[in-house]
Amino acid sequence: MPDFRAYARDELFDSLLYGELSKHEKNQRNREILEELSKQEYMHYEFWSKFAGRIELTGYEKARLRIYLFMSRLLGKTFIIKFLERHESDVVEEYKKILKEPSLSDNDKKILEKIIEEEKYHEGALASQIDEFAVRHLGSIALGMSDAIIELSGVHAGFLGYTASPIYTGISGLIVGISASMSMAAAAYLQAKQERGKSPGKSATVTGLMYMATVVLLTSPFFMGLSVPTALALSILFALLVLAGFTFFSTTILGGSFKKDFLENTGIIFLVVIVGYLFGTAVEQLLGFRP
């Protein structure tokens, strides 16, 4: 038996969420898109309410609505919309099964077919048109963060094979990282100049700041009074947590498999760590002393 009340409640929740998001949107085009999404979802709700009756959000759902609105301020409206869409394929399959219900009138079937079409294509197309800073500069964020993680992980692992001093390792990581952040910012600036529609200044700033922030985070364990191996393990843990968060963010917005992307990136990090450690050990043996 189809759960018409659950369908109606989900559509009402999405409609109210998009409506609230539109009220806090200053960009006119973005606001129009959100209002269109809210209107569309409310029409879906009205269709299901014919079978389920009038629905109101529960206390739990109202709290969930407030949480999503708060998250939209941190992660952006596009992320929240795309996050809600992740279960749309399952919903569409359920809706398709209801199309086969003999009790459904021909007119209701036509309306449901339109709803399925909107759930599959129209909503995603509208959400992709929302213009947000984080989405526009996703490439610069990825460049600064991922390059810093890979470079710092290699540097720290190299010093594990060369020195027993965590302070020495941390300072070296900071020097290499901050210098590299300026280099990456300059590279991002020059690259953006060759790409139409991109702001070189903003691309350079985002890349540089993301690089510096990642450097500070990954070097911090070496100033906590820990041994080099323990500090390196904690630094790698921080790197994996940051990588997991960003991978989830990017795959939610752009699509793709979180598991596949995360495991692939994790494999690269550990490969760099192993190579860095072996190189550091080789240098220590070649020089014959361990600072």
Side-chain angles (χ1 to χ4, degrees):
M1 180 70 181
D3 192 347
F4 295 123
R5 291 184 65 82
Y7 301 151
R9 185 172 285 109
D10 284 346
E11 301 288 6
L12 178 61
F13 178 89
D14 289 354
S15 175
L16 293 174
L17 175 62
Y18 298 151
E20 288 298 317
L21 290 175
S22 70
K23 294 176 183 177
H24 299 90
E25 178 56 56
K26 296 179 181 179
N27 182 290
Q28 183 176 349
R29 175 56 182 160
N30 289 352
R31 186 166 60 251
E32 289 173 354
I33 292 172
L34 290 166
E35 288 173 349
E36 175 65 22
L37 284 169
S38 177
K39 179 181 177 183
Q40 187 170 282
E41 296 290 356
Y42 194 78
M43 290 171 63
H44 298 176
Y45 158 72
E46 288 186 319
F47 173 78
W48 293 119
S49 66
K50 288 168 53 178
F51 306 96
R54 306 303 293 181
I55 298 292
E56 291 186 1
L57 297 186
T58 63
Y60 163 76
E61 287 162 337
K62 290 177 181 178
R64 181 166 158 252
L65 182 64
R66 288 193 292 269
I67 291 172
Y68 276 26
L69 289 172
F70 175 74
M71 287 175 60
S72 72
R73 297 179 183 178
L74 299 177
L75 302 172
K77 299 175 179 66
T78 304
F79 174 82
I80 294 300
I81 296 172
K82 293 286 187 176
F83 179 76
L84 288 173
E85 282 184 356
R86 291 172 75 91
H87 76 290
E88 291 295 344
S89 58
D90 295 333
V91 171
V92 166
E93 290 305 313
E94 291 184 31
Y95 287 3
K96 285 181 178 179
K97 291 178 183 177
I98 296 173
L99 273 176
K100 300 175 183 178
E101 290 283 332
S103 58
L104 212 63
S105 69
D106 290 340
N107 185 55
D108 285 339
K109 286 182 179 180
K110 288 181 180 179
I111 296 174
L112 184 53
E113 285 173 352
K114 182 182 178 184
I115 289 174
I116 292 172
E117 188 72 13
E118 289 174 343
E119 295 283 2
K120 287 175 65 178
Y121 305 112
H122 191 218
E123 290 176 15
L126 282 173
S128 298
Q129 294 176 32
I130 294 177
D131 181 31
E132 287 189 299
F133 184 88
V135 178
R136 207 182 321 127
H137 294 280
L138 196 60
S140 297
I141 295 172
L143 178 64
M145 185 201 66
S146 60
D147 195 81
I149 287 176
I150 291 171
E151 183 161 6
L152 265 293
S153 297
V155 168
H156 292 156
F159 274 90
L160 171 63
Y162 178 65
T163 180
S165 171
I167 297 297
Y168 187 22
T169 302
I171 291 173
S172 300
L174 278 176
I175 292 172
V176 171
I178 298 301
S179 300
S181 69
M182 291 185 285
S183 174
M184 288 302 300
Y189 180 87
L190 294 174
Q191 180 181 344
K193 286 186 69 175
Q194 311 304 318
E195 298 179 13
R196 185 174 299 175
K198 279 196 173 183
S199 167
K202 290 181 180 179
S203 296
T205 301
V206 171
T207 301
L209 288 178
M210 285 303 302
Y211 203 113
M212 286 187 186
T214 307
V215 165
V216 170
L217 178 65
L218 299 192
T219 56
S220 62
F222 294 93
F223 300 98
M224 295 179 179
L226 306 172
S227 65
V228 174
T230 304
L232 176 62
L234 186 57
S235 179
I236 292 174
L237 175 61
F238 286 168
L240 294 177
L241 290 174
V242 171
L243 189 63
F246 179 76
T247 302
F248 182 71
F249 181 81
S250 61
T251 54
T252 298
I253 290 177
L254 302 177
S257 169
F258 166 79
K259 183 178 179 180
K260 176 179 177 295
D261 286 3
F262 179 67
L263 290 178
E264 183 180 280
N265 294 332
T266 300
I268 293 172
I269 289 175
F270 279 104
L271 177 62
V272 169
V273 167
I274 293 170
V275 172
Y277 174 74
L278 293 176
F279 181 74
T281 302
V283 170
E284 187 267 335
Q285 292 177 351
L286 181 65
L287 295 179
F289 72 96
R290 187 178 178 87

